Amino acid sequence: MNMTIDIGDSYHLSMGADCLPRFINILQNTVWGSQGILYIMNDLELEMSTFTEPIFVTLFFHEEPLAICLFNRKLARVKGEVIPCYYLCLLTVLEHARGKGLGRLMVEEATRIILNHEEDALVYAYVEEENEYSYRLFKSAGFHRLGGFIVAIHNRFTPKRSPYVNELTLQEKPVVFSMIEAEYQDHDLFDLDLSLDKHCFIYRREGEIVAGLQAKPMSWRLVSLPGIQGYLLSVVFPRISLLKKRLDPDAYRFIKIGDVLLKKGFEKEFKALLSDVMARYNVSTCMFYASSSSEPQQRIAKVMHSGLLSSIDAKAVVFAKSFALDHGTSPLDALYISNADAV
């Protein structure tokens, strides 16, 4: 899908599969976050490369770009059937152009074009609960709330390797795939065949796989962190030589985990798995996005909550829009928050 659409009053929309330099330039200067956690994403080119079927959208006034967003197409399970889904992310409006409804205009027009092109598709987005601007934008653009998720944060300053953890092999992948699919068989937005890719690790207890996860390395430049915990992590600890490499506020590296498997009764082994993977990537923090209505994911989040940042109460809402059936109008029971989605 490559096109330019005139939407009146000297505004036009560009949609295409190529990530142009100006798109990256805008993202490099965008501050993300809310609830006191503000950050700029590093490694943007690497992040862009993880999308399988991206559509890069830019709203122009004459030849000046004012707003951007990205839709990534994939197949996912929704209410028992596999349908095309478009994950909408990286939405930003340049500061001098805000307050004019341009973000809503861009989202409305791009979503309309996509759903007219593929009528049975679902477009969805993640919005931080405290981000009032984005919340109003999606509501006014005709999106409906499907559900929500929380962010579970785990900190460990001295993570250790475990002899019971190994990286997932090609031979083991079908077994783990079946285990995860059985655990999340009633979850919507399930896309395991796409998200269960590289950086996957498992924990074995007496030869049995009892825990597993996929790790996605991330890097942020921290602009602001709330409270005394934020002050310690962004100001005090980086001055300690042993912690400086792991807690550099200009390149705060962590892992986002997903496709998580945890058998009941093996919570201790799961913590050892977390520690091992953090040690492999030389990081002190990992994050997990857990659907508010998912029993397995809430159980995992409860195990993970520990460390200085665990007190941060970060929540997000999942909005969606669809012309097909009622996919985009009624809440879903439990959501699979995919590690293939950039949050």
Side-chain angles (χ1 to χ4, degrees), residues 3-38:
M3 60 178 69
T4 299
I5 306 96
D6 186 356
I7 52 180
D9 297 325
S10 301
Y11 290 102
H12 66 273
L13 207 62
S14 171
M15 301 177 65
D18 297 324
C19 182
L20 302 177
R22 60 173 172 257
F23 197 98
I24 294 293
N25 290 338
I26 292 174
L27 290 178
Q28 286 174 334
N29 295 290
T30 300
V31 177
W32 306 92
S34 61
Q35 302 182 30
I37 307 175
L38 301 176

Side-chain angles (χ1 to χ4, degrees), residues 154-173:
H154 182 80
N155 287 116
R156 182 171 292 191
F157 292 123
T158 56
K160 298 179 181 179
R161 295 288 300 272
S162 168
Y164 303 104
V165 175
N166 68 270
E167 191 163 2
L168 187 68
T169 65
L170 287 175
Q171 292 74 22
E172 294 167 325
K173 186 174 179 178

Side-chain angles (χ1 to χ4, degrees), residues 255-274:
I255 54 174
K256 180 166 77 78
I257 67 168
D259 301 321
V260 179
L261 174 68
L262 171 58
K263 286 194 170 185
K264 290 183 178 180
F266 292 96
E267 288 75 15
K268 181 179 179 182
E269 287 77 5
F270 180 67
K271 284 189 174 182
L273 172 63
L274 286 175

Side-chain angles (χ1 to χ4, degrees), residues 132-183:
E132 295 181 5
Y133 167 78
S134 293
Y135 201 100
R136 291 196 305 268
L137 185 154
F138 281 98
K139 291 285 286 185
S140 64
F143 283 67
H144 299 267
R145 179 173 178 153
L146 289 189
F149 63 90
I150 64 168
V151 181
I153 303 176
H154 182 80
N155 287 116
R156 182 171 292 191
F157 292 123
T158 56
K160 298 179 181 179
R161 295 288 300 272
S162 168
Y164 303 104
V165 175
N166 68 270
E167 191 163 2
L168 187 68
T169 65
L170 287 175
Q171 292 74 22
E172 294 167 325
K173 186 174 179 178
V175 176
V176 173
F177 190 105
S178 297
M179 295 171 70
I180 297 176
E181 190 169 37
E183 182 79 342

Side-chain angles (χ1 to χ4, degrees), residues 77 80 179-188 190 336:
R77 187 177 63 211
M179 295 171 70
I180 297 176
E181 190 169 37
E183 182 79 342
Y184 298 101
Q185 59 183 329
D186 60 343
H187 285 53
D188 289 297
F190 187 79
Y336 193 79

